[in-house]
Amino acid sequence: MTDTQHDAPDVHAITVDVDGTTERGVVSSRTLLVHWLRDELDRRGPKIGCDTGNCGACTIQWDGLLVKSCMVLAVQADGTAVTTAAALAHPDGPLNDLQSSFREHHALQCGYCTSGMLMTATDLLESGEEITDHSVRRALKGNICRCTGYQGIVNAVRATAGHDIPLPHGKTPDTHGAGLDGGRS
Ligand code: FES
Ligand code: FES
C-alpha cells in the first residue's frame, strides 16, 4: 500500500433517493445503510433489531429489491433509490390497505418488527404470487416478531389480498391512526 492510499480519507460523498427525496451525505466506508438512514437522515422506518441480518426489522426496498439495510453499506447505495415503510402511507396521511389491515387484524403489538413486515409483505403482494398462509409464511420467514405469534400478520396480508378473513373477536374496522410508518423508535 502506498502512503497516498494509506492516508486517503475513509469517507465518501453519496447521493441517494430516499422515499422520493434526494438525500446527500458523507459516509465512511464502514457505515451501514440502516445507520445512515436512521442516524443521519432521521428516517425511522427501518429498525435495528439485531445488526446481523437475522431479524428483518431493517428491511427496505433498494432499487426494487427487498434487502435488509443492515447488510448494505451506505456507500453501496450511492446513486440508487431506497424505499422505507414511511413511504407506504398515502401522501395525504391515511394508511394504505396493508397498514390498515395490520391494525384491523391485530398484527402488531410493540410494532418493532412492523415496518420490516410491511415492506416484505408489500413485496409479496406486488409479486403476483398466490397469497396463501404458506406463501405469506415463506415470504416472512426472514422477519422475526417477538410479540404477535404471527397469525395476525398472516391474516392481515391475506385480507389485503382479498381473502375473507374475520376480524379478531370484538374488533371493528379502523382505518385511521398513525404508527405504521415505522414510528419514532
Ligand atoms: S437489524 Fe437488520 S436484520 Fe436485524
Ligand atoms: S409486534 Fe413486537 S416485535 Fe413484532
Side-chain angles (χ1 to χ4, degrees):
M1 178 180 292
T2 67
D3 285 349
T4 303
Q5 287 172 316
H6 185 78
D7 294 340
D10 181 34
V11 293
H12 309 268
I14 61 173
T15 303
V16 184
D17 181 310
V18 181
D19 294 337
T21 300
T22 300
E23 301 285 1
R24 295 182 173 83
V26 177
V27 298
S28 85
S29 299
R30 297 180 190 82
T31 302
L32 298 175
L33 180 56
V34 67
H35 290 153
W36 185 64
L37 291 170
R38 290 179 55 87
D39 300 342
E40 300 300 325
L41 303 186
D42 203 25
R43 304 298 182 109
R44 299 306 177 101
K47 301 289 188 286
I48 301 172
C50 66
D51 249 353
T52 58
N54 287 306
C55 75
C58 63
T59 302
I60 60 166
Q61 223 179 40
W62 181 35
D63 270 354
L65 294 175
L66 201 62
V67 302
K68 295 176 176 177
S69 56
C70 73
M71 295 284 97
V72 177
L73 295 169
V75 70
Q76 290 178 279
D78 184 32
T80 69
V82 161
T83 304
T84 75
L88 294 179
H90 298 289
D92 58 355
L95 303 177
N96 76 6
D97 290 347
L98 180 63
Q99 291 170 309
S100 296
S101 190
F102 264 60
R103 284 177 64 90
E104 293 170 358
H105 288 276
H106 215 164
L108 70 157
Q109 290 184 37
C110 80
Y112 208 79
C113 69
T114 304
S115 59
M117 293 283 183
L118 290 169
M119 295 307 292
T120 302
T122 297
D123 185 74
L124 173 65
L125 290 164
E126 291 176 351
S127 73
E129 185 173 345
E130 185 182 4
I131 304 300
T132 64
D133 265 27
H134 177 70
S135 68
V136 174
R137 290 182 183 280
R138 189 182 61 221
L140 291 172
K141 67 185 178 188
N143 293 77
I144 295 172
C145 177
R146 61 192 171 190
C147 305
T148 65
Y150 297 100
Q151 190 58 51
I153 296 169
V154 174
N155 290 346
V157 178
R158 290 193 59 200
T160 305
H163 294 259
D164 185 16
I165 308 291
L167 290 178
H169 180 68
K171 289 202 74 183
T172 55
D174 175 6
T175 58
H176 301 287
L180 288 170
D181 63 350
R184 298 295 305 166
S185 59

